[in-house]
Amino acid sequence: MINIQVECPKILARSLVSYGYTTENLKLLGNGSEGAVYSTNTHIFKIFFDCRKTISEEKLAFISKNFRANEKISGVRQLSDIITDHDVLIFITPYESYTPYRGGDVENVLAILVDAKHNDYIYTNFHPKNLMYDTSHKLRIIDVGRSLESYNENGYGNMIRRAFLSTYFFQRSDLVDLMSSLHRPGEVRELIGIDKFLEKLSSKLQSKIEEN
């Protein structure tokens, strides 16, 4: 397993140079549970700490097929390249200025849900911290990794509920715990009022079907 503080930047820099990327102004943006995110003036790089355990070959194939320069999908920030080199896995996106999501944007959140249903994927970690606006003010999922899965009804239902909480309860300091409660028995009282959200989603899904 990669030592975050010491090995990550060395391994990343060596891999980037090998594949023709510049390491000038390479800086750490942050660490997550899956890996570390770095940027230069031209690209954003996510290097996985333990790619063999984190991303299966099947999951990598799914991500590469659906979220690598795929213009059909608009709800997820697209990868421009993937580097796989022995035990090293790096996801690459072009550098772009992003604005954090602060909640309350029903229309853009619904647009992501419609995109997911239409393109047969789900995102299991829907949370404000994993959403950002691009320069055209389009809201996108920015965390490409194991939380992206093939579409299934149960997973999509959970994605909807997390999207609802991310929209209306984004300011809650216990939002992570609140979302975890979705997987426990009992009623989640914060979901009272989700019916109108579901009605809007249903209407937009129907409109999408009629477009095609």
Side-chain angles (χ1 to χ4, degrees):
M1 188 168 181
I2 293 174
N3 181 300
I4 301 172
Q5 285 74 23
V6 178
E7 296 182 46
C8 245
K10 294 178 181 178
I11 294 172
L12 176 61
R14 185 167 62 246
S15 297
L16 294 181
V17 170
S18 296
Y19 284 84
Y21 289 93
T22 179
T23 59
E24 186 177 357
N25 296 321
L26 184 67
K27 63 180 180 180
L28 176 68
L29 296 181
N31 293 312
S33 60
E34 296 179 334
V37 179
Y38 292 79
S39 74
T40 62
N41 295 336
T42 57
H43 292 88
I44 297 173
F45 309 97
K46 178 177 180 179
I47 180 169
F48 289 81
F49 298 143
D50 193 355
C51 64
R52 297 291 184 185
K53 293 182 179 179
T54 304
I55 304 290
S56 66
E57 290 296 325
E58 182 181 6
K59 175 61 68 73
L60 183 58
F62 170 73
I63 290 173
S64 181
K65 177 183 178 181
N66 292 282
F67 307 104
R68 184 178 181 178
N70 184 353
E71 295 181 357
K72 293 181 179 179
I73 292 179
S74 60
V76 179
R77 181 174 66 185
Q78 290 290 304
L79 302 176
S80 58
D81 198 3
I82 297 175
I83 292 176
T84 55
D85 188 4
H86 300 292
D87 289 332
V88 176
L89 175 61
I90 303 168
F91 286 174
I92 303 172
T93 58
Y95 182 85
E96 186 176 355
S97 296
Y98 282 85
T99 304
Y101 175 64
R102 302 297 186 191
D105 189 347
V106 177
E107 292 302 313
N108 263 309
V109 166
L110 289 175
I112 292 176
L113 292 172
V114 170
D115 186 67
K117 176 88 171 184
H118 182 68
N119 290 293
D120 295 320
Y121 70 89
I122 61 169
Y123 182 61
T124 62
N125 196 23
F126 207 103
H127 188 284
K129 67 183 174 69
N130 294 326
L131 306 171
M132 285 196 180
Y133 294 100
D134 63 17
T135 52
S136 62
H137 202 69
K138 187 173 186 64
L139 191 65
R140 298 182 190 273
I141 295 166
I142 62 164
D143 179 37
V144 178
R146 63 186 172 193
S147 296
L148 286 164
E149 299 180 0
S150 298
Y151 181 88
N152 65 80
E153 286 293 334
N154 288 337
Y156 188 62
N158 190 57
M159 182 180 177
I160 292 171
R161 290 186 287 273
R162 290 180 68 103
F164 177 80
L165 295 176
S166 295
T167 304
Y168 294 102
F169 297 93
F170 59 92
Q171 78 284 5
R172 288 272 294 263
S173 60
D174 63 341
L175 184 57
V176 172
D177 291 336
L178 180 57
M179 289 186 173
S180 295
S181 70
L182 295 172
H183 303 285
R184 296 192 290 266
E187 182 181 14
V188 179
R189 58 187 180 86
E190 285 82 1
L191 292 178
I192 295 173
I194 197 174
D195 288 348
K196 290 185 178 180
F197 186 78
L198 292 172
E199 288 174 8
K200 289 181 180 179
L201 175 59
S202 178
S203 176
K204 289 186 177 296
L205 287 170
Q206 184 59 40
S207 295
K208 187 70 174 178
I209 292 171
E210 292 171 359
E211 286 177 11
N212 296 276

